[in-house]
mmCIF file with all atom_site columns, all heavy atoms in Angstrom:
data_model
loop_
_atom_site.group_PDB
_atom_site.id
_atom_site.type_symbol
_atom_site.label_atom_id
_atom_site.label_alt_id
_atom_site.label_comp_id
_atom_site.label_asym_id
_atom_site.label_entity_id
_atom_site.label_seq_id
_atom_site.pdbx_PDB_ins_code
_atom_site.Cartn_x
_atom_site.Cartn_y
_atom_site.Cartn_z
_atom_site.occupancy
_atom_site.B_iso_or_equiv
_atom_site.pdbx_formal_charge
_atom_site.auth_seq_id
_atom_site.auth_comp_id
_atom_site.auth_asym_id
_atom_site.auth_atom_id
_atom_site.pdbx_PDB_model_num
ATOM 1   N N   . VAL J 1 16 ? -55.930 -84.227 -128.331 1.00 97.00 ? 16 VAL J N   1
ATOM 2   C CA  . VAL J 1 16 ? -55.456 -84.475 -129.708 1.00 97.00 ? 16 VAL J CA  1
ATOM 3   C C   . VAL J 1 16 ? -54.111 -85.292 -129.634 1.00 97.00 ? 16 VAL J C   1
ATOM 4   O O   . VAL J 1 16 ? -53.976 -86.171 -130.425 1.00 97.00 ? 16 VAL J O   1
ATOM 5   C CB  . VAL J 1 16 ? -55.195 -83.145 -130.484 1.00 97.00 ? 16 VAL J CB  1
ATOM 6   C CG1 . VAL J 1 16 ? -54.515 -83.375 -131.894 1.00 97.00 ? 16 VAL J CG1 1
ATOM 7   C CG2 . VAL J 1 16 ? -56.506 -82.364 -130.652 1.00 97.00 ? 16 VAL J CG2 1
ATOM 8   N N   . ALA J 1 17 ? -53.260 -84.813 -128.684 1.00 97.00 ? 17 ALA J N   1
ATOM 9   C CA  . ALA J 1 17 ? -51.918 -85.517 -128.607 1.00 97.00 ? 17 ALA J CA  1
ATOM 10  C C   . ALA J 1 17 ? -52.112 -86.932 -128.289 1.00 97.00 ? 17 ALA J C   1
ATOM 11  O O   . ALA J 1 17 ? -51.419 -87.882 -128.808 1.00 97.00 ? 17 ALA J O   1
ATOM 12  C CB  . ALA J 1 17 ? -51.070 -84.782 -127.582 1.00 97.00 ? 17 ALA J CB  1
ATOM 13  N N   . ASP J 1 18 ? -52.966 -87.293 -127.244 1.00 96.00 ? 18 ASP J N   1
ATOM 14  C CA  . ASP J 1 18 ? -53.204 -88.633 -126.884 1.00 96.00 ? 18 ASP J CA  1
ATOM 15  C C   . ASP J 1 18 ? -53.800 -89.489 -128.022 1.00 96.00 ? 18 ASP J C   1
ATOM 16  O O   . ASP J 1 18 ? -53.390 -90.652 -128.249 1.00 96.00 ? 18 ASP J O   1
ATOM 17  C CB  . ASP J 1 18 ? -54.123 -88.716 -125.709 1.00 96.00 ? 18 ASP J CB  1
ATOM 18  C CG  . ASP J 1 18 ? -53.452 -88.228 -124.428 1.00 96.00 ? 18 ASP J CG  1
ATOM 19  O OD1 . ASP J 1 18 ? -52.238 -88.029 -124.442 1.00 96.00 ? 18 ASP J OD1 1
ATOM 20  O OD2 . ASP J 1 18 ? -54.246 -87.795 -123.448 1.00 96.00 ? 18 ASP J OD2 1
ATOM 21  N N   . SER J 1 19 ? -54.823 -88.814 -128.773 1.00 97.00 ? 19 SER J N   1
ATOM 22  C CA  . SER J 1 19 ? -55.400 -89.675 -129.853 1.00 97.00 ? 19 SER J CA  1
ATOM 23  C C   . SER J 1 19 ? -54.307 -89.890 -130.925 1.00 97.00 ? 19 SER J C   1
ATOM 24  O O   . SER J 1 19 ? -54.292 -90.918 -131.479 1.00 97.00 ? 19 SER J O   1
ATOM 25  C CB  . SER J 1 19 ? -56.501 -88.778 -130.437 1.00 97.00 ? 19 SER J CB  1
ATOM 26  O OG  . SER J 1 19 ? -57.422 -88.403 -129.478 1.00 97.00 ? 19 SER J OG  1
ATOM 27  N N   . ALA J 1 20 ? -53.431 -88.916 -131.157 1.00 97.00 ? 20 ALA J N   1
ATOM 28  C CA  . ALA J 1 20 ? -52.451 -89.059 -132.154 1.00 97.00 ? 20 ALA J CA  1
ATOM 29  C C   . ALA J 1 20 ? -51.570 -90.124 -131.822 1.00 97.00 ? 20 ALA J C   1
ATOM 30  O O   . ALA J 1 20 ? -51.148 -90.954 -132.668 1.00 97.00 ? 20 ALA J O   1
ATOM 31  C CB  . ALA J 1 20 ? -51.704 -87.760 -132.384 1.00 97.00 ? 20 ALA J CB  1
ATOM 32  N N   . GLN J 1 21 ? -51.164 -90.083 -130.502 1.00 96.00 ? 21 GLN J N   1
ATOM 33  C CA  . GLN J 1 21 ? -50.207 -91.160 -130.023 1.00 96.00 ? 21 GLN J CA  1
ATOM 34  C C   . GLN J 1 21 ? -50.867 -92.605 -130.176 1.00 96.00 ? 21 GLN J C   1
ATOM 35  O O   . GLN J 1 21 ? -50.142 -93.434 -130.607 1.00 96.00 ? 21 GLN J O   1
ATOM 36  C CB  . GLN J 1 21 ? -49.839 -90.914 -128.653 1.00 96.00 ? 21 GLN J CB  1
ATOM 37  C CG  . GLN J 1 21 ? -48.613 -91.698 -128.088 1.00 96.00 ? 21 GLN J CG  1
ATOM 38  C CD  . GLN J 1 21 ? -48.186 -91.397 -126.706 1.00 96.00 ? 21 GLN J CD  1
ATOM 39  O OE1 . GLN J 1 21 ? -49.052 -90.991 -125.873 1.00 96.00 ? 21 GLN J OE1 1
ATOM 40  N NE2 . GLN J 1 21 ? -46.865 -91.462 -126.436 1.00 96.00 ? 21 GLN J NE2 1
ATOM 41  N N   . SER J 1 22 ? -52.072 -92.747 -129.729 1.00 96.00 ? 22 SER J N   1
ATOM 42  C CA  . SER J 1 22 ? -52.615 -94.045 -129.800 1.00 96.00 ? 22 SER J CA  1
ATOM 43  C C   . SER J 1 22 ? -52.765 -94.548 -131.261 1.00 96.00 ? 22 SER J C   1
ATOM 44  O O   . SER J 1 22 ? -52.897 -95.668 -131.528 1.00 96.00 ? 22 SER J O   1
ATOM 45  C CB  . SER J 1 22 ? -54.023 -94.050 -129.081 1.00 96.00 ? 22 SER J CB  1
ATOM 46  O OG  . SER J 1 22 ? -55.026 -93.502 -129.797 1.00 96.00 ? 22 SER J OG  1
ATOM 47  N N   . LEU J 1 23 ? -52.938 -93.636 -132.165 1.00 96.00 ? 23 LEU J N   1
ATOM 48  C CA  . LEU J 1 23 ? -52.991 -94.011 -133.672 1.00 96.00 ? 23 LEU J CA  1
ATOM 49  C C   . LEU J 1 23 ? -51.573 -94.001 -134.267 1.00 96.00 ? 23 LEU J C   1
ATOM 50  O O   . LEU J 1 23 ? -51.414 -94.408 -135.420 1.00 96.00 ? 23 LEU J O   1
ATOM 51  C CB  . LEU J 1 23 ? -53.923 -93.011 -134.424 1.00 96.00 ? 23 LEU J CB  1
ATOM 52  C CG  . LEU J 1 23 ? -55.393 -93.000 -134.094 1.00 96.00 ? 23 LEU J CG  1
ATOM 53  C CD1 . LEU J 1 23 ? -56.023 -91.802 -134.790 1.00 96.00 ? 23 LEU J CD1 1
ATOM 54  C CD2 . LEU J 1 23 ? -55.976 -94.344 -134.443 1.00 96.00 ? 23 LEU J CD2 1
ATOM 55  N N   . GLY J 1 24 ? -50.584 -93.606 -133.469 1.00 96.00 ? 24 GLY J N   1
ATOM 56  C CA  . GLY J 1 24 ? -49.160 -93.651 -134.059 1.00 96.00 ? 24 GLY J CA  1
ATOM 57  C C   . GLY J 1 24 ? -48.990 -92.637 -135.157 1.00 96.00 ? 24 GLY J C   1
ATOM 58  O O   . GLY J 1 24 ? -48.306 -92.778 -136.081 1.00 96.00 ? 24 GLY J O   1
ATOM 59  N N   . LEU J 1 25 ? -49.774 -91.493 -134.979 1.00 96.00 ? 25 LEU J N   1
ATOM 60  C CA  . LEU J 1 25 ? -49.667 -90.414 -136.057 1.00 96.00 ? 25 LEU J CA  1
ATOM 61  C C   . LEU J 1 25 ? -48.817 -89.184 -135.623 1.00 96.00 ? 25 LEU J C   1
ATOM 62  O O   . LEU J 1 25 ? -49.106 -88.637 -134.537 1.00 96.00 ? 25 LEU J O   1
ATOM 63  C CB  . LEU J 1 25 ? -51.076 -89.911 -136.375 1.00 96.00 ? 25 LEU J CB  1
ATOM 64  C CG  . LEU J 1 25 ? -52.008 -90.832 -137.243 1.00 96.00 ? 25 LEU J CG  1
ATOM 65  C CD1 . LEU J 1 25 ? -53.423 -90.130 -137.317 1.00 96.00 ? 25 LEU J CD1 1
ATOM 66  C CD2 . LEU J 1 25 ? -51.480 -90.991 -138.553 1.00 96.00 ? 25 LEU J CD2 1
ATOM 67  N N   . GLU J 1 26 ? -47.866 -88.803 -136.404 1.00 97.00 ? 26 GLU J N   1
ATOM 68  C CA  . GLU J 1 26 ? -47.058 -87.638 -136.098 1.00 97.00 ? 26 GLU J CA  1
ATOM 69  C C   . GLU J 1 26 ? -47.929 -86.517 -136.410 1.00 97.00 ? 26 GLU J C   1
ATOM 70  O O   . GLU J 1 26 ? -48.432 -86.312 -137.455 1.00 97.00 ? 26 GLU J O   1
ATOM 71  C CB  . GLU J 1 26 ? -45.956 -87.687 -137.146 1.00 97.00 ? 26 GLU J CB  1
ATOM 72  C CG  . GLU J 1 26 ? -44.853 -86.634 -137.105 1.00 97.00 ? 26 GLU J CG  1
ATOM 73  C CD  . GLU J 1 26 ? -43.890 -86.735 -138.278 1.00 97.00 ? 26 GLU J CD  1
ATOM 74  O OE1 . GLU J 1 26 ? -43.657 -87.852 -138.758 1.00 97.00 ? 26 GLU J OE1 1
ATOM 75  O OE2 . GLU J 1 26 ? -43.483 -85.763 -138.780 1.00 97.00 ? 26 GLU J OE2 1
ATOM 76  N N   . THR J 1 27 ? -48.104 -85.651 -135.361 1.00 97.00 ? 27 THR J N   1
ATOM 77  C CA  . THR J 1 27 ? -49.151 -84.527 -135.408 1.00 97.00 ? 27 THR J CA  1
ATOM 78  C C   . THR J 1 27 ? -48.627 -83.219 -134.983 1.00 97.00 ? 27 THR J C   1
ATOM 79  O O   . THR J 1 27 ? -47.845 -83.137 -134.158 1.00 97.00 ? 27 THR J O   1
ATOM 80  C CB  . THR J 1 27 ? -50.414 -84.873 -134.699 1.00 97.00 ? 27 THR J CB  1
ATOM 81  O OG1 . THR J 1 27 ? -50.842 -86.222 -135.084 1.00 97.00 ? 27 THR J OG1 1
ATOM 82  C CG2 . THR J 1 27 ? -51.478 -83.934 -134.650 1.00 97.00 ? 27 THR J CG2 1
ATOM 83  N N   . TYR J 1 28 ? -49.062 -82.194 -135.661 1.00 98.00 ? 28 TYR J N   1
ATOM 84  C CA  . TYR J 1 28 ? -48.618 -80.847 -135.354 1.00 98.00 ? 28 TYR J CA  1
ATOM 85  C C   . TYR J 1 28 ? -49.689 -79.840 -135.348 1.00 98.00 ? 28 TYR J C   1
ATOM 86  O O   . TYR J 1 28 ? -50.757 -79.938 -136.056 1.00 98.00 ? 28 TYR J O   1
ATOM 87  C CB  . TYR J 1 28 ? -47.690 -80.324 -136.504 1.00 98.00 ? 28 TYR J CB  1
ATOM 88  C CG  . TYR J 1 28 ? -46.453 -81.239 -136.562 1.00 98.00 ? 28 TYR J CG  1
ATOM 89  C CD1 . TYR J 1 28 ? -46.625 -82.326 -137.502 1.00 98.00 ? 28 TYR J CD1 1
ATOM 90  C CD2 . TYR J 1 28 ? -45.272 -80.919 -136.027 1.00 98.00 ? 28 TYR J CD2 1
ATOM 91  C CE1 . TYR J 1 28 ? -45.464 -83.183 -137.588 1.00 98.00 ? 28 TYR J CE1 1
ATOM 92  C CE2 . TYR J 1 28 ? -44.201 -81.737 -136.121 1.00 98.00 ? 28 TYR J CE2 1
ATOM 93  C CZ  . TYR J 1 28 ? -44.271 -82.818 -136.939 1.00 98.00 ? 28 TYR J CZ  1
ATOM 94  O OH  . TYR J 1 28 ? -43.160 -83.736 -137.098 1.00 98.00 ? 28 TYR J OH  1
ATOM 95  N N   . LEU J 1 29 ? -49.602 -78.763 -134.522 1.00 97.00 ? 29 LEU J N   1
ATOM 96  C CA  . LEU J 1 29 ? -50.473 -77.654 -134.585 1.00 97.00 ? 29 LEU J CA  1
ATOM 97  C C   . LEU J 1 29 ? -49.783 -76.649 -135.565 1.00 97.00 ? 29 LEU J C   1
ATOM 98  O O   . LEU J 1 29 ? -48.557 -76.457 -135.379 1.00 97.00 ? 29 LEU J O   1
ATOM 99  C CB  . LEU J 1 29 ? -50.518 -77.011 -133.169 1.00 97.00 ? 29 LEU J CB  1
ATOM 100 C CG  . LEU J 1 29 ? -51.379 -75.911 -132.817 1.00 97.00 ? 29 LEU J CG  1
ATOM 101 C CD1 . LEU J 1 29 ? -52.885 -76.253 -133.115 1.00 97.00 ? 29 LEU J CD1 1
ATOM 102 C CD2 . LEU J 1 29 ? -51.376 -75.765 -131.272 1.00 97.00 ? 29 LEU J CD2 1
#
Side-chain angles (χ1 to χ4, degrees):
V16 176
D18 292 343
S19 308
Q21 192 176 32
S22 73
L23 292 172
L25 287 174
E26 184 187 327
T27 300
Y28 302 86
L29 186 53

